[in-house]
C-alpha cells in the first residue's frame, strides 16, 4: 500500500478523518491525497469572479486552514496533496490505496477503507496490536495480505482472533484450539508464515465466544487493539460481521475491499 | 483455620495460668489472662468472617464486609491497650532499680503499675522456659499462616487477628528473654529494655490495624495514586472521552469504585466498553494491591454547546454556494449546530441589501456567527461575528450529503 486518501470537509468527523489519515500517512511515509469535493453548478453562482478563480481561491483557503490545523496538531503538510473533485484512483492502484472515512463505505465497495470512529490517531490509546478476526472462509487471508505490510510499516504487532463453535465430539472444556476447524488452522498457518516473512510479530488467540461479533469486540477492547481489520465475504447477504463491527465498535475498523488480493 | 487458632490459645491459657500461679509470676499469669481475651477475639473474628461471607442483598448492596473493619479496628484498639500495659510493666521494672526516681515518677504518673519480680525456683525454670519457648514458636507459626489465609480469602479481620497473634509472640519473646536473663545471666533488666522495643512494635501494628478499620468504616478513598492510575487505565480504552468523576472506598476488603465516564460512543457500544473497563480496571487494581473489587460505571454523553450560525449563500433554488460577501448573497442558510454538526438548517431570503438591517435580522434570530467564503479575519457587527470559511461548497460544510 502506498497511498492514503481522505475527503476534505469541515464537520468534526471529516476533521478526525483528516488528522487520522495525516498521522497514518506520516507513520508509513506515504502520500496523503486530500480530495476537495467540487460543485460546478454552485461555483457558477459566484459571479464576482470567474469560476476558475473560485477554485484557486478555495484551494488556497483550504490549504491555509489545513496548515493551521496541522501546526496545532504538530503535523507536517509536506506529504499532503490537495486534489479537486470526487475521488478518482487509477484502477491499477486501487489495491494499494486506503481511503479514510465512513463516507467511502457505500460509494466504493472495491476499495479498502478505514473508519477512525472517534479517534484522530491510530496510536491514540497506546501501541495496540491490529486485530484480524478469522473464520473458515478466506476473507481473513485477504485482510492479512493487505494489513501485514501496513503493520510492518507501522511497527505494530498483529493478533489473529478466532472464535469457534464447540465440537460436540469433544469435551466442552477441551482447549479451544481442538474445537477449531481444519480450514481455520490452515489459514492460520499460512498467515503466520506471511507475517514472519514480513518480520511482523503476531500471535493467535482462539476462543469459544457466545457470538462472533461479541467475541471480536470484547477481545479487541480488552487487548487494547488499535485497529480491527476485516473483509466482507462475498457470500454474506445480510448481517455481516463487518457491518456489526462498524455499527458497534469504538475501535477504528479497517474494511479490506474486494479488489485487494 | 480459626479453629486451630482457638485451640492454640486454649492450650496457652491453660499452660500459662497453671505455670503462672504455681511460680507466682504476675507476668506469665497476666499474659495467660491476656490470652483469654485473645480467645474471645477469635470468637469475634469467626462471627465477623461468617457475617462478611453472606452475599449482598437489597438491604446491604455492598454486602456485610465492613463488619470485618469493625473487628479490625477493635483488634487495633486491643493491641494499643496491650502495648500500653506492656510499656507500664517495662517502665516499672526499670524504675525498680532506682527507688527515688520511681517515687518521683509515680508522683506524676500515679497509675503506673507496681513492679512484681519473678519468684521461681531453679527446679521449675526449665519447664517455664520450655513452655514459653513453645508458646513463642506457636504464635509465630500460627500467625504467619493466619495472615496468609486471611489475605488469600480477603478477610481483613483474620489478617488483623494474625497480626495480633504475632504481637503475642513478640510479648512472649520479651517474657522469655526476661526469664532467661534473670536465671541464666542474672540481668533481668534486659527484659524491660526489650519489652519497650516490643511495645513500640505492637503499638505500630495496633495503630495500623485501627486506622485501616477506621478508614474503611468512614469510607476513605483508595488514595489519589490509585484513582489516578484508574483514570489513566480508563483513558486507554477506546470510546472513553474522559473520566468526569471517580469515587473509591473500601467495604471490608472489597474496593468499591464508582466511575462516571463521558463518551461519544453509540449506546450499543456501552456494554462492550463497560465489560472491557471492568476487566482492565480489576487487573490494574490487583497490581495496586486490591484483590477484590466491584465497579459501578456510569456513562454520560460529552456535554455539548448548542449554537446558531448562518452562512451568506447564493442560491438559485437548486444549487447553493457560500457567498464571498453580503452584496453577492441572496439567502442566509441558518443552522442549528450541536457537537459541531448542523442538525437542522434552512434557507431564509436576505431581509435587505443593507448590512445593518441584516445584522438586526440575524440578532433577532439569535445567530452568533455569519460565515462568508474566503480567508478573512473575524469581525464583530453588533452581536454577530462575521467570519470566513475555506469553501463555497455546502457539501464540504456538511450541510449536503456527499
Amino acid at each position: 500500500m502506498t497511498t492514503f486518501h481522505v475527503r476534505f470537509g469541515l464537520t468534526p468527523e471529516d476533521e478526525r478523518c483528516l488528522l487520522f489519515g495525516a498521522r497514518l500517512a506520516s507513520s508509513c511515509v506515504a502520500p496523503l491525497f486530500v480530495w476537495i469535493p467540487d460543485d460546478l453548478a454552485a461555483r457558477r453562482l459566484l459571479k464576482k469572479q470567474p469560476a476558475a478563480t473560485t477554485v484557486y481561491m478555495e484551494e488556497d483557503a483550504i490549504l491555509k486552514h489545513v496548515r493551521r490545523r496541522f501546526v496545532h496538531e504538530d503535523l507536517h503538510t509536506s506529504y499532503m496533496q490537495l486534489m479537486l473533485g470526487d475521488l478518482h484512483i487509477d484502477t491499477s492502484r486501487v489495491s494499494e490505496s486506503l481511503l479514510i472515512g465512513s463516507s467511502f463505505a457505500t460509494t466504493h465497495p472495491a476499495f479498502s477503507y478505514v473508519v477512525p470512529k472517534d479517534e484522530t490517531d491510530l496510536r491514540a490509546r497506546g501501541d495496540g496490536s491490529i486485530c484480524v478476526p478469522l473464520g473458515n472462509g478466506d476473507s481473513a487471508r485477504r485482510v492479512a495480505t493487505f494489513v501485514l505490510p501496513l503493520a510492518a510499516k507501522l511497527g505494530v504487532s498483529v493478533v489473529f482472533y478466532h472464535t469457534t463453535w464447540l465440537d460436540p465430539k469433544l469435551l466442552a472444556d477441551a482447549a479451544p484450539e481442538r474445537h477449531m476447524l481444519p480450514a481455520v488452522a490452515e489459514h492460520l498457518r499460512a498467515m503466520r508464515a506471511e507475517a514472519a516473512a514480513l518480520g511482523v510479530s503476531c500471535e493467535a488467540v482462539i476462543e469459544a465466544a457466545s457470538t462472533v461479533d461479541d467475541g471480536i469486540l470484547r477481545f479487541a477492547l480488552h487487548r487494547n487493539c488499535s485497529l480491527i481489520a476485516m473483509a466482507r465475504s462475498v457470500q454474506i447477504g445480510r448481517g455481516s460481521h463487518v457491518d456489526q463491527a462498524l455499527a458497534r465498535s469504538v475501535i477504528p475498523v479497517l474494511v479490506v475491499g474486494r479488489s485487494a488480493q | 483455620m480459626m479453629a486451630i487458632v482457638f485451640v492454640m490459645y486454649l492450650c496457652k491459657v491453660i499452660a500459662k495460668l497453671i505455670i503462672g500461679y504455681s511460680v507466682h509470676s504476675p507476668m506469665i499469669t497476666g499474659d495467660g489472662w491476656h490470652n483469654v481475651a485473645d480467645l474471645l477475639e477469635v470468637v469475634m473474628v469467626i462471627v465477623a468472617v461468617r457475617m462478611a461471607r453472606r452475599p449482598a442483598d437489597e438491604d446491604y448492596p455492598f454486602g456485610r464486609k465492613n463488619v470485618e473493619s469493625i473487628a479490625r479496628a477493635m483488634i487495633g484498639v486491643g493491641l494499643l491497650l496491650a502495648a500500653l500495659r506492656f510499656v507500664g510493666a517495662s517502665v516499672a521494672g526499670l524504675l525498680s532499680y532506682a527507688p527515688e526516681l520511681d517515687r518521683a515518677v509515680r508522683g506524676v504518673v500515679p497509675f503506673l503499675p507496681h513492679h512484681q519480680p519473678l519468684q521461681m525456683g531453679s527446679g521449675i525454670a526449665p519447664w517455664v522456659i520450655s513452655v514459653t519457648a513453645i508458646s513463642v514458636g506457636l504464635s509465630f507459626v500460627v500467625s504467619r499462616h493466619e495472615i496468609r489465609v486471611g489475605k488469600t480469602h480477603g478477610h481483613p479481620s483474620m489478617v488483623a487477628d494474625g497480626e495480633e497473634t504475632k504481637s503475642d509472640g513478640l510479648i512472649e519473646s520479651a517474657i522469655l528473654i526476661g526469664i532467661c536473663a534473670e536465671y541464666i545471666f542474672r540481668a533481668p533488666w534486659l527484659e524491660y529494655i526489650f519489652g519497650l522495643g516490643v511495645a513500640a512494635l505492637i503499638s505500630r501494628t495496633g495503630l495500623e490495624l485501627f486506622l485501616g478499620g477506621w478508614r474503611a468504616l468512614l469510607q476513605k478513598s483508595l488514595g489519589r495514586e490509585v484513582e489516578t492510575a484508574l483514570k489513566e487505565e480508563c483513558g486507554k480504552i477506546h470510546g472513553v472521552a474522559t473520566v468526569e468523576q471517580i469515587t473509591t472506598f473500601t467495604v471490608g476488603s472489597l474496593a468499591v469504585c464508582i466511575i462516571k465516564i463521558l463518551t461519544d460512543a453509540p449506546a450499543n457500544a456501552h456494554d462492550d466498553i463497560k465489560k472491557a473497563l471492568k476487566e482492565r480496571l480489576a487487573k490494574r487494581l490487583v497490581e495496586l494491591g486490591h484483590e477484590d473489587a466491584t465497579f459501578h460505571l456510569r456513562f454520560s454523553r460529552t456535554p455539548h454547546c448548542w449554537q446558531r450560525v448562518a452562512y451568506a449563500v447564493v442560491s438559485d433554488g437548486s444549487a447553493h454556494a457560500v457567498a464571498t460577501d453580503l452584496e453577492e448573497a441572496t439567502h442566509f442558510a441558518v443552522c442549528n449546530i450541536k457537537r459541531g454538526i448542523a442538525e437542522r438548517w434552512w434557507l431564509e431570503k436576505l431581509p435587505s441589501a443593507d448590512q445593518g438591517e441584516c445584522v438586526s435580522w440575524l440578532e433577532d434570530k439569535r445567530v452568533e456567527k455569519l460565515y462568508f467564503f474566503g480567508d478573512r479575519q473575524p469581525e464583530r457587527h453588533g452581536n454577530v461575528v462575521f467570519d470566513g470559511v475555506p469553501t463555497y461548497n455546502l457539501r464540504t460544510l456538511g450541510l449536503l450529503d456527499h
Side-chain angles (χ1 to χ4, degrees):
Chain A
M1 182 205 323
T2 52
T3 57
F4 295 90
H5 301 264
V6 62
R7 185 178 277 147
F8 179 77
L10 291 168
T11 65
E13 191 193 345
D14 291 332
E15 297 250 352
R16 274 198 300 274
C17 288
L18 180 65
L19 294 175
F20 191 92
R23 290 200 171 98
L24 203 54
S26 167
S27 299
C28 294
V29 199
L32 171 73
F33 293 97
V34 181
W35 294 87
I36 304 165
D38 190 21
D39 188 343
L40 190 61
R43 194 149 37 101
R44 282 186 180 141
L45 291 172
L46 300 172
K47 296 193 175 71
K48 277 205 159 183
Q49 63 271 315
T53 312
T54 305
V55 173
Y56 294 131
M57 192 176 152
E58 187 187 38
E59 207 168 337
D60 184 52
I62 287 176
L63 198 58
K64 279 182 184 165
H65 172 84
V66 172
R67 272 189 187 142
R68 274 198 295 267
R69 197 80 181 85
F70 277 28
V71 165
H72 185 256
E73 299 284 337
D74 202 18
L75 281 161
H76 296 287
T77 49
S78 52
Y79 48 86
M80 187 195 75
Q81 200 173 326
L82 294 184
M83 308 291 286
L84 186 69
D86 286 332
L87 178 80
H88 174 77
I89 298 172
D90 190 74
T91 44
S92 63
R93 313 217 71 180
V94 168
S95 60
E96 297 169 349
S97 306
L98 181 61
L99 319 183
I100 293 137
S102 59
S103 60
F104 294 115
T106 49
T107 49
H108 299 279
F111 288 82
S112 301
Y113 62 94
V114 61
V115 181
K117 298 293 178 176
D118 285 336
E119 304 299 346
T120 55
D121 188 357
L122 193 71
R123 292 188 164 102
R125 313 277 174 163
D127 283 331
S129 317
I130 297 178
C131 174
V132 178
L134 77 148
N136 50 347
D138 65 348
S139 55
R141 296 283 285 274
R142 272 195 292 144
V143 176
T145 308
F146 190 86
V147 159
L148 289 172
L150 177 69
K153 281 189 177 174
L154 292 170
V156 297
S157 59
V158 170
V159 53
F160 299 112
Y161 174 80
H162 176 66
T163 174
T164 177
W165 295 100
L166 292 180
D167 185 345
K169 288 178 217 152
L170 294 168
L171 289 171
D173 58 353
E177 289 86 344
R178 293 185 58 205
H179 292 276
M180 201 165 67
L181 290 173
V184 181
E186 178 55 33
H187 290 318
L188 206 51
R189 191 198 55 75
M191 291 193 297
R192 274 179 191 274
E194 212 174 321
L198 287 164
V200 175
S201 83
C202 71
E203 67 167 310
V205 174
I206 320 293
E207 285 185 348
S210 53
T211 67
V212 175
D213 312 314
D214 283 345
I216 294 169
L217 297 175
R218 185 199 53 74
F219 170 77
L221 268 170
H222 181 64
R223 265 302 183 87
N224 202 26
C225 291
S226 56
L227 186 71
I228 301 173
M230 304 172 87
R232 286 180 195 281
S233 167
V234 282
Q235 287 96 353
I236 300 293
R238 183 188 287 174
S240 76
H241 298 315
V242 172
D243 288 335
Q244 301 284 343
L246 284 171
R248 262 175 64 181
S249 175
V250 283
I251 297 173
V253 179
L254 190 156
V255 181
V256 175
R258 288 181 185 157
S259 60
Q261 293 300 318
Chain B
M1 179 67 223
M2 293 315 287
I4 296 170
V5 182
F6 188 87
V7 171
M8 179 195 78
Y9 275 125
L10 196 62
C11 295
K12 278 186 180 187
V13 166
I14 294 166
K16 283 180 187 176
L17 287 183
I18 290 171
I19 293 173
Y21 280 118
S22 63
V23 299
H24 305 291
S25 164
M27 215 149 194
I28 299 175
T29 314
D31 200 40
W33 285 113
H34 166 72
N35 286 157
V36 173
D38 290 336
L39 266 179
L40 296 174
E41 197 176 276
V42 171
V43 174
M44 181 182 78
V45 170
I46 291 169
V47 173
V49 167
R50 287 200 168 217
M51 278 183 77
R53 275 182 187 163
R54 289 170 70 181
D57 55 30
E58 280 181 6
D59 292 331
Y60 297 92
F62 293 118
R64 295 164 178 82
K65 293 197 172 196
N66 250 354
V67 75
E68 293 208 60
S69 304
I70 298 171
R72 193 179 180 194
M74 283 168 73
I75 292 171
V77 171
L79 276 180
L80 285 170
L81 290 174
L84 195 65
R85 190 178 66 86
F86 210 60
V87 167
S90 299
V91 169
L94 285 172
L95 286 175
S96 67
Y97 291 94
E100 278 187 20
L101 184 63
D102 185 61
R103 271 195 297 279
V105 172
R106 281 178 198 284
V108 184
V109 192
F111 48 84
L112 196 69
H114 288 281
H115 176 60
Q116 292 169 316
L118 276 179
Q119 297 165 5
M120 185 163 58
S122 56
I124 204 167
W127 286 102
V128 174
I129 290 171
S130 305
V131 168
T132 314
I134 290 168
S135 188
V136 169
L138 269 178
S139 293
F140 285 126
V141 170
V142 171
S143 70
R144 198 173 164 187
H145 194 53
E146 199 179 355
I147 290 169
R148 202 177 64 220
V149 172
K151 279 186 178 168
T152 310
H153 293 90
H155 289 299
S157 60
M158 201 186 278
V159 176
D161 196 55
E163 293 287 356
E164 207 279 340
T165 309
K166 195 164 97 181
S167 302
D168 284 349
L170 287 171
I171 292 172
E172 287 159 354
S173 304
I175 294 170
L176 185 65
I177 284 176
I179 296 165
C180 294
E182 182 143 353
Y183 286 94
I184 300 171
F185 306 111
R186 302 286 167 203
W189 52 269
L190 267 176
E191 177 191 354
Y192 311 127
I193 303 283
F194 187 70
L196 284 175
V198 167
L201 283 177
I202 294 170
S203 55
R204 197 181 68 178
T205 309
L207 193 65
E208 275 173 13
L209 291 178
F210 172 73
L211 287 178
W214 175 260
R215 283 170 188 153
L217 287 170
L218 294 189
Q219 301 188 322
K220 188 176 185 287
S221 84
L222 298 182
R224 191 170 291 176
E225 193 187 330
V226 173
E227 290 188 351
T228 307
L230 292 180
K231 269 187 191 175
E232 279 172 9
E233 203 60 40
C234 288
K236 287 179 193 166
I237 304 266
H238 287 274
V240 175
T242 183
V243 175
E244 193 185 40
Q245 197 183 350
I246 181 161
T247 308
T248 59
F249 55 93
T250 52
V251 177
S253 61
L254 180 75
V256 181
C257 305
I258 301 169
I259 304 173
K260 188 178 175 188
I261 284 159
L262 296 184
T263 178
D264 285 324
N268 62 357
H270 288 189
D271 269 353
D272 299 322
I273 301 172
K274 202 177 271 188
K275 277 180 197 165
L277 271 170
K278 283 185 177 178
E279 285 177 23
R280 296 271 296 272
L281 292 177
K283 203 172 159 188
R284 188 78 184 93
L285 269 184
V286 169
E287 287 168 9
L288 295 165
H290 298 276
E291 301 276 340
D292 195 10
T294 180
F295 300 96
H296 299 264
L297 306 173
R298 287 191 291 151
F299 288 84
S300 296
R301 297 273 286 163
T302 50
H304 64 271
C305 297
W306 187 90
Q307 195 187 19
R308 180 170 281 175
V309 302
Y311 295 93
V313 164
V314 191
S315 174
D316 65 359
S318 58
H320 321 280
V322 182
T324 50
D325 53 32
L326 263 181
E327 243 177 72
E328 195 177 31
T330 58
H331 292 77
F332 285 132
V334 184
C335 312
N336 291 346
I337 306 284
K338 199 170 147 186
R339 296 178 202 281
I341 299 165
E343 285 206 322
R344 183 169 182 264
W345 73 274
W346 64 97
L347 279 178
E348 295 263 13
K349 270 198 170 174
L350 221 62
S352 159
D354 180 63
Q355 183 176 301
E357 281 182 38
C358 283
V359 168
S360 303
W361 185 88
L362 290 166
E363 283 175 338
D364 289 346
K365 293 277 180 188
R366 305 289 186 267
V367 170
E368 293 170 31
K369 280 190 169 183
L370 176 66
Y371 290 106
F372 299 96
F373 168 42
D375 190 34
R376 61 154 76 191
Q377 292 298 311
E379 197 182 321
R380 182 168 281 281
H381 296 270
N383 290 330
V384 185
V385 175
F386 287 14
D387 205 347
V389 282
T391 182
Y392 66 88
N393 194 334
L394 267 61
R395 278 200 288 164
T396 308
L397 292 169
L399 301 186
L400 296 174
D401 291 335
H402 285 290

